[in-house]
Amino acid sequence: MNTQFKAALLTEDTRFYEEIKAPSMEEQEIRLDVYRNNITVSLVEALCDIFPVTQTLVGDDFFRAMARIYVLNNPPSSPIIREYGQNFSDFVRNFEPAQSLPYLPDLAALEHAMLTLTHSEEYETLDHQAVSEAFASVEDPSVLSLGVPPTTQILVSPFAIGSLYQAHFSDGHQRLNQVDITKSEYLLLVKSHLYGQLHVIDKEEAIFIKNLMQEKTLENAIPESDAFDLGETLAKLIEWKILTNITQTKTN
């Protein structure tokens, strides 16, 4: 009965109607609609919590109307509500009324990625002293490998979605209009202090961190660019709590 009830709540399935005591099928449907509406409203509210920046940008009415259509066509596959909306960005990408905002799907994908990161495992990281001691312990720092959490992500977007995200959560909604959305961005996503953290970085920093993720030594991780500053980048990685270990490559 539970399976039929769930199907009836989120679809037009009528098999559960016979379980509802009412004088007519019309009355059965009216009574079931009460539950259907409660479930739909709850899932729409969940999407509002998961995608607050997207909601702010398109407005509450537009977002709720879009979310309702998504809910009716995408019932939850897990009882864990934070896992809902995994394919919401794909839905937005194909949602005709949102086509005038080409950056919206990427923003929605970023928001869900940040939520997922927040609920992922957090790893112990090195402080400034530990990093300094590791570098001082070797004659040639280029043989060192710098470890980062396996949940670390580097994203590249043709739009300034990272700046939009930061503007929403840091200085309020007024700065959203000041973001040049047409600028491409490199984004670093890490978990620190219990939450997913987002940092807008430059291309050289993105290349360097990507190389660290591939367990390359400093010699092979540093990008060939005069614009890259190793000391400044390491200072950022220490501050952002992203370095988990430093090991020395064995040489013959």
Side-chain angles (χ1 to χ4, degrees), residues 154 185-188 199-203 205-206 209 240:
I154 296 291
E185 288 185 336
Y186 291 85
L187 308 177
L188 168 63
H199 304 283
V200 179
I201 58 179
D202 60 36
K203 179 180 179 180
E205 291 171 335
I209 298 170
W240 294 340

Side-chain angles (χ1 to χ4, degrees), residues 25-51:
M25 185 173 180
E26 181 180 1
E27 182 65 24
Q28 290 172 328
E29 185 169 7
I30 291 174
R31 295 184 182 184
L32 186 60
D33 279 345
V34 174
Y35 293 97
R36 281 175 172 160
N37 186 63
N38 288 340
I39 291 294
T40 301
V41 169
S42 297
L43 291 175
V44 168
E45 288 297 332
L47 292 175
C48 290
D49 291 338
I50 296 171
F51 304 99

Side-chain angles (χ1 to χ4, degrees), residues 135-150:
F135 273 77
S137 67
V138 296
E139 294 183 4
D140 182 10
S142 67
V143 301
L144 294 176
S145 295
L146 281 58
V148 298

Side-chain angles (χ1 to χ4, degrees), residues 202-217:
D202 60 36
K203 179 180 179 180
E204 287 73 26
E205 291 171 335
I207 293 173
F208 178 68
I209 298 170
K210 195 79 171 180
N211 287 337
L212 296 185
M213 293 167 65
Q214 297 172 1
E215 301 182 352
K216 294 184 178 181
T217 62

Side-chain angles (χ1 to χ4, degrees), residues 10-11 16 97 102 143 157 174 197 224 237:
L10 294 168
T11 69
F16 190 76
V143 301
S157 173
Q174 292 182 349
Q197 307 287 342
E224 297 180 358
L237 299 187

